[in-house]
C-alpha cells in the first residue's frame, strides 16, 4: 500500500494519528482505527481510539515520547498492546 496519508496526520512509531495526537478525533473528524488495525493485522472493530502521550519533536520532525525521549518507546508507543487491550474491552462491552 502506498504511503499516502491524508492531510494533517502524523506517524508515531508506525501508528497514525491526527495532528492532535488522537486516533479518533471529533475536532478534525479523523478516525484512524481501521488503518492502524490493518497495519497490526487486526480486523477493524468499534474500539476506543488510541491517544498518544505527550511527545516532542526532534529537529528532523520525528516524534519522541517526552518521558523517555525515544521515537520507538515500547512503553509509551506500544500500540499493538494498547490496541489489543482496547479490542478486548470493546468486545466485552458487546461492540463490534
Ligand atoms: Zn484532531
Ligand atoms: Zn516513553
Amino acid at each position: 500500500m502506498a504511503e499516502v496519508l491524508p492531510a494533517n496526520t502524523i506517524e508515531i512509531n508506525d501508528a497514525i494519528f491526527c495532528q492532535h495526537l488522537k486516533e479518533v478525533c471529533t475536532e478534525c473528524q479523523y478516525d484512524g482505527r481501521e488503518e492502524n488495525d490493518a497495519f497490526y493485522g487486526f480486523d477493524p472493530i468499534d474500539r476506543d481510539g488510541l491517544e498518544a502521550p505527550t511527545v516532542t519533536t526532534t529537529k528532523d520532525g520525528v516524534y519522541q515520547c517526552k518521558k523517555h525521549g525515544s521515537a520507538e518507546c515500547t512503553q509509551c508507543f506500544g500500540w499493538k498492546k494498547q490496541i489489543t487491550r482496547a479490542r478486548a474491552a470493546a468486545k466485552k462491552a458487546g461492540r463490534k
Side-chain angles (χ1 to χ4, degrees):
M1 211 164 71
E3 283 288 298
V4 182
L5 301 176
N8 300 324
T9 57
I10 57 169
E11 192 180 322
I12 303 175
N13 197 25
D14 291 333
I16 315 293
F17 294 89
C18 80
Q19 58 185 317
H20 307 104
L21 305 177
K22 288 181 179 176
E23 190 186 31
V24 179
C25 182
T26 48
E27 222 169 309
C28 56
Q29 311 249 307
Y30 177 73
D31 183 349
R33 291 177 300 178
E34 197 172 328
E35 204 163 337
N36 289 331
D37 279 355
F39 180 85
Y40 289 105
F42 295 122
D43 296 323
I45 61 167
D46 181 20
R47 59 168 174 78
D48 287 338
L50 301 175
E51 259 185 68
T54 309
V55 294
T56 56
T57 29
T58 66
K59 59 182 187 317
D60 301 319
V62 175
Y63 289 87
Q64 297 182 322
C65 68
K66 195 175 183 190
K67 209 167 174 183
H68 310 99
S70 166
E72 293 170 8
C73 184
T74 50
Q75 284 177 64
C76 301
F77 304 151
W79 308 130
K80 191 167 187 181
K81 199 188 273 178
Q82 289 189 31
I83 290 174
T84 304
R85 206 180 299 147
R87 290 173 63 83
K91 277 184 184 160
K92 213 171 174 182
R95 292 155 72 181
K96 38 179 150 112

